PDB file of all heavy atoms in Angstrom:
ATOM      1  N   TYR A  99      69.536 -87.838-144.157  1.00 98.00           N
ATOM      2  CA  TYR A  99      68.302 -88.513-144.557  1.00 98.00           C
ATOM      3  C   TYR A  99      68.610 -89.444-145.716  1.00 98.00           C
ATOM      4  O   TYR A  99      69.306 -89.060-146.660  1.00 98.00           O
ATOM      5  CB  TYR A  99      67.241 -87.474-144.925  1.00 98.00           C
ATOM      6  CG  TYR A  99      66.958 -86.574-143.743  1.00 98.00           C
ATOM      7  CD1 TYR A  99      67.619 -85.363-143.597  1.00 98.00           C
ATOM      8  CD2 TYR A  99      66.079 -86.976-142.745  1.00 98.00           C
ATOM      9  CE1 TYR A  99      67.395 -84.553-142.491  1.00 98.00           C
ATOM     10  CE2 TYR A  99      65.848 -86.173-141.637  1.00 98.00           C
ATOM     11  CZ  TYR A  99      66.511 -84.970-141.516  1.00 98.00           C
ATOM     12  OH  TYR A  99      66.296 -84.177-140.413  1.00 98.00           O
ATOM     13  N   ASP A 100      68.092 -90.673-145.656  1.00 98.00           N
ATOM     14  CA  ASP A 100      68.439 -91.679-146.643  1.00 98.00           C
ATOM     15  C   ASP A 100      67.195 -92.504-146.991  1.00 98.00           C
ATOM     16  O   ASP A 100      66.624 -93.157-146.112  1.00 98.00           O
ATOM     17  CB  ASP A 100      69.543 -92.577-146.078  1.00 98.00           C
ATOM     18  CG  ASP A 100      70.246 -93.397-147.130  1.00 98.00           C
ATOM     19  OD1 ASP A 100      69.543 -93.998-147.988  1.00 98.00           O
ATOM     20  OD2 ASP A 100      71.482 -93.446-147.108  1.00 98.00           O
ATOM     21  N   SER A 101      66.811 -92.489-148.249  1.00 98.00           N
ATOM     22  CA  SER A 101      65.611 -93.225-148.684  1.00 98.00           C
ATOM     23  C   SER A 101      65.785 -94.739-148.571  1.00 98.00           C
ATOM     24  O   SER A 101      64.793 -95.472-148.541  1.00 98.00           O
ATOM     25  CB  SER A 101      65.247 -92.846-150.121  1.00 98.00           C
ATOM     26  OG  SER A 101      66.283 -93.206-151.013  1.00 98.00           O
ATOM     27  N   ARG A 102      67.011 -95.217-148.484  1.00 98.00           N
ATOM     28  CA  ARG A 102      67.234 -96.660-148.312  1.00 98.00           C
ATOM     29  C   ARG A 102      66.794 -97.148-146.947  1.00 98.00           C
ATOM     30  O   ARG A 102      66.717 -98.351-146.711  1.00 98.00           O
ATOM     31  CB  ARG A 102      68.710 -97.005-148.541  1.00 98.00           C
ATOM     32  CG  ARG A 102      69.185 -96.718-149.964  1.00 98.00           C
ATOM     33  CD  ARG A 102      70.662 -96.930-150.111  1.00 98.00           C
ATOM     34  NE  ARG A 102      71.409 -95.978-149.298  1.00 98.00           N
ATOM     35  CZ  ARG A 102      72.725 -95.899-149.240  1.00 98.00           C
ATOM     36  NH1 ARG A 102      73.464 -96.737-149.943  1.00 98.00           N
ATOM     37  NH2 ARG A 102      73.316 -94.995-148.475  1.00 98.00           N
ATOM     38  N   LEU A 103      66.489 -96.222-146.038  1.00 98.00           N
ATOM     39  CA  LEU A 103      66.055 -96.576-144.690  1.00 98.00           C
ATOM     40  C   LEU A 103      64.540 -96.489-144.520  1.00 98.00           C
ATOM     41  O   LEU A 103      64.036 -96.487-143.402  1.00 98.00           O
ATOM     42  CB  LEU A 103      66.754 -95.671-143.668  1.00 98.00           C
ATOM     43  CG  LEU A 103      68.265 -95.845-143.589  1.00 98.00           C
ATOM     44  CD1 LEU A 103      68.874 -94.782-142.684  1.00 98.00           C
ATOM     45  CD2 LEU A 103      68.624 -97.251-143.115  1.00 98.00           C
ATOM     46  N   ARG A 104      63.810 -96.433-145.628  1.00 98.00           N
ATOM     47  CA  ARG A 104      62.347 -96.388-145.558  1.00 98.00           C
ATOM     48  C   ARG A 104      61.776 -97.717-145.090  1.00 98.00           C
ATOM     49  O   ARG A 104      62.364 -98.773-145.300  1.00 98.00           O
ATOM     50  CB  ARG A 104      61.755 -96.078-146.930  1.00 98.00           C
ATOM     51  CG  ARG A 104      61.918 -94.655-147.341  1.00 98.00           C
ATOM     52  CD  ARG A 104      61.230 -94.401-148.658  1.00 98.00           C
ATOM     53  NE  ARG A 104      61.261 -92.976-148.962  1.00 98.00           N
ATOM     54  CZ  ARG A 104      60.529 -92.415-149.885  1.00 98.00           C
ATOM     55  NH1 ARG A 104      59.709 -93.152-150.621  1.00 98.00           N
ATOM     56  NH2 ARG A 104      60.608 -91.119-150.094  1.00 98.00           N
ATOM     57  N   GLU A 105      60.589 -97.617-144.500  1.00 97.00           N
ATOM     58  CA  GLU A 105      59.796 -98.798-144.158  1.00 97.00           C
ATOM     59  C   GLU A 105      59.527 -99.586-145.436  1.00 97.00           C
ATOM     60  O   GLU A 105      59.650 -99.045-146.547  1.00 97.00           O
ATOM     61  CB  GLU A 105      58.473 -98.348-143.517  1.00 97.00           C
ATOM     62  CG  GLU A 105      57.494 -99.448-143.175  1.00 97.00           C
ATOM     63  CD  GLU A 105      58.006-100.441-142.164  1.00 97.00           C
ATOM     64  OE1 GLU A 105      58.701-101.401-142.576  1.00 97.00           O
ATOM     65  OE2 GLU A 105      57.724-100.287-140.960  1.00 97.00           O
ATOM     66  N   CYS A 106      59.127-100.828-145.315  1.00 98.00           N
ATOM     67  CA  CYS A 106      58.711-101.604-146.470  1.00 98.00           C
ATOM     68  C   CYS A 106      57.534-100.878-147.133  1.00 98.00           C
ATOM     69  O   CYS A 106      56.635-100.381-146.454  1.00 98.00           O
ATOM     70  CB  CYS A 106      58.275-103.002-146.019  1.00 98.00           C
ATOM     71  SG  CYS A 106      57.920-104.128-147.384  1.00 98.00           S
ATOM     72  N   ASP A 107      57.558-100.800-148.466  1.00 98.00           N
ATOM     73  CA  ASP A 107      56.446-100.209-149.208  1.00 98.00           C
ATOM     74  C   ASP A 107      55.358-101.271-149.311  1.00 98.00           C
ATOM     75  O   ASP A 107      55.487-102.229-150.068  1.00 98.00           O
ATOM     76  CB  ASP A 107      56.921 -99.753-150.592  1.00 98.00           C
ATOM     77  CG  ASP A 107      55.823 -99.088-151.399  1.00 98.00           C
ATOM     78  OD1 ASP A 107      54.658 -99.037-150.945  1.00 98.00           O
ATOM     79  OD2 ASP A 107      56.135 -98.625-152.511  1.00 98.00           O
ATOM     80  N   TYR A 108      54.282-101.074-148.553  1.00 98.00           N
ATOM     81  CA  TYR A 108      53.186-102.037-148.534  1.00 98.00           C
ATOM     82  C   TYR A 108      52.259-101.891-149.739  1.00 98.00           C
ATOM     83  O   TYR A 108      51.271-102.603-149.844  1.00 98.00           O
ATOM     84  CB  TYR A 108      52.362-101.876-147.259  1.00 98.00           C
ATOM     85  CG  TYR A 108      53.134-101.985-145.973  1.00 98.00           C
ATOM     86  CD1 TYR A 108      52.878-101.116-144.924  1.00 98.00           C
ATOM     87  CD2 TYR A 108      54.117-102.956-145.790  1.00 98.00           C
ATOM     88  CE1 TYR A 108      53.568-101.203-143.725  1.00 98.00           C
ATOM     89  CE2 TYR A 108      54.816-103.048-144.599  1.00 98.00           C
ATOM     90  CZ  TYR A 108      54.534-102.167-143.568  1.00 98.00           C
ATOM     91  OH  TYR A 108      55.223-102.251-142.384  1.00 98.00           O
ATOM     92  N   GLY A 109      52.583-100.971-150.647  1.00 98.00           N
ATOM     93  CA  GLY A 109      51.775-100.798-151.853  1.00 98.00           C
ATOM     94  C   GLY A 109      50.334-100.484-151.498  1.00 98.00           C
ATOM     95  O   GLY A 109      50.057 -99.528-150.775  1.00 98.00           O
ATOM     96  N   THR A 110      49.424-101.333-151.960  1.00 97.00           N
ATOM     97  CA  THR A 110      47.996-101.098-151.696  1.00 97.00           C
ATOM     98  C   THR A 110      47.640-101.237-150.218  1.00 97.00           C
ATOM     99  O   THR A 110      46.548-100.841-149.810  1.00 97.00           O
ATOM    100  CB  THR A 110      47.118-102.055-152.529  1.00 97.00           C
ATOM    101  OG1 THR A 110      47.461-103.402-152.203  1.00 97.00           O
ATOM    102  CG2 THR A 110      47.308-101.825-154.027  1.00 97.00           C
ATOM    103  N   PHE A 111      48.555-101.761-149.412  1.00 97.00           N
ATOM    104  CA  PHE A 111      48.324-101.881-147.969  1.00 97.00           C
ATOM    105  C   PHE A 111      48.842-100.668-147.182  1.00 97.00           C
ATOM    106  O   PHE A 111      48.663-100.610-145.969  1.00 97.00           O
ATOM    107  CB  PHE A 111      48.961-103.160-147.420  1.00 97.00           C
ATOM    108  CG  PHE A 111      48.217-104.416-147.778  1.00 97.00           C
ATOM    109  CD1 PHE A 111      48.464-105.065-148.975  1.00 97.00           C
ATOM    110  CD2 PHE A 111      47.257-104.940-146.926  1.00 97.00           C
ATOM    111  CE1 PHE A 111      47.781-106.212-149.323  1.00 97.00           C
ATOM    112  CE2 PHE A 111      46.566-106.092-147.249  1.00 97.00           C
ATOM    113  CZ  PHE A 111      46.821-106.734-148.458  1.00 97.00           C
ATOM    114  N   ASN A 112      49.512 -99.713-147.843  1.00 98.00           N
ATOM    115  CA  ASN A 112      49.916 -98.484-147.146  1.00 98.00           C
ATOM    116  C   ASN A 112      48.650 -97.808-146.610  1.00 98.00           C
ATOM    117  O   ASN A 112      47.729 -97.535-147.378  1.00 98.00           O
ATOM    118  CB  ASN A 112      50.642 -97.519-148.096  1.00 98.00           C
ATOM    119  CG  ASN A 112      52.031 -97.971-148.450  1.00 98.00           C
ATOM    120  OD1 ASN A 112      52.712 -98.622-147.668  1.00 98.00           O
ATOM    121  ND2 ASN A 112      52.473 -97.617-149.652  1.00 98.00           N
ATOM    122  N   GLY A 113      48.608 -97.576-145.309  1.00 97.00           N
ATOM    123  CA  GLY A 113      47.444 -96.951-144.690  1.00 97.00           C
ATOM    124  C   GLY A 113      46.337 -97.919-144.307  1.00 97.00           C
ATOM    125  O   GLY A 113      45.295 -97.500-143.798  1.00 97.00           O
ATOM    126  N   ALA A 114      46.554 -99.208-144.512  1.00 98.00           N
ATOM    127  CA  ALA A 114      45.555-100.223-144.149  1.00 98.00           C
ATOM    128  C   ALA A 114      45.606-100.493-142.640  1.00 98.00           C
ATOM    129  O   ALA A 114      46.601-100.180-141.977  1.00 98.00           O
ATOM    130  CB  ALA A 114      45.832-101.519-144.917  1.00 98.00           C
ATOM    131  N   PRO A 115      44.563-101.092-142.096  1.00 98.00           N
ATOM    132  CA  PRO A 115      44.635-101.503-140.697  1.00 98.00           C
ATOM    133  C   PRO A 115      45.822-102.451-140.478  1.00 98.00           C
ATOM    134  O   PRO A 115      46.056-103.359-141.285  1.00 98.00           O
ATOM    135  CB  PRO A 115      43.303-102.222-140.463  1.00 98.00           C
ATOM    136  CG  PRO A 115      42.380-101.629-141.489  1.00 98.00           C
ATOM    137  CD  PRO A 115      43.248-101.364-142.684  1.00 98.00           C
ATOM    138  N   ALA A 116      46.559-102.236-139.399  1.00 96.00           N
ATOM    139  CA  ALA A 116      47.739-103.057-139.110  1.00 96.00           C
ATOM    140  C   ALA A 116      47.367-104.529-138.991  1.00 96.00           C
ATOM    141  O   ALA A 116      48.130-105.399-139.433  1.00 96.00           O
ATOM    142  CB  ALA A 116      48.424-102.562-137.844  1.00 96.00           C
ATOM    143  N   ALA A 117      46.203-104.832-138.442  1.00 96.00           N
ATOM    144  CA  ALA A 117      45.776-106.229-138.302  1.00 96.00           C
ATOM    145  C   ALA A 117      45.644-106.894-139.672  1.00 96.00           C
ATOM    146  O   ALA A 117      46.000-108.062-139.851  1.00 96.00           O
ATOM    147  CB  ALA A 117      44.455-106.311-137.544  1.00 96.00           C
TER     148      ALA A 117
END
Side-chain angles (χ1 to χ4, degrees):
Y99 300 94
D100 196 314
S101 62
R102 297 174 295 181
L103 295 173
R104 286 184 173 194
E105 177 62 275
C106 187
D107 182 356
Y108 304 138
T110 59
F111 286 86
N112 287 329

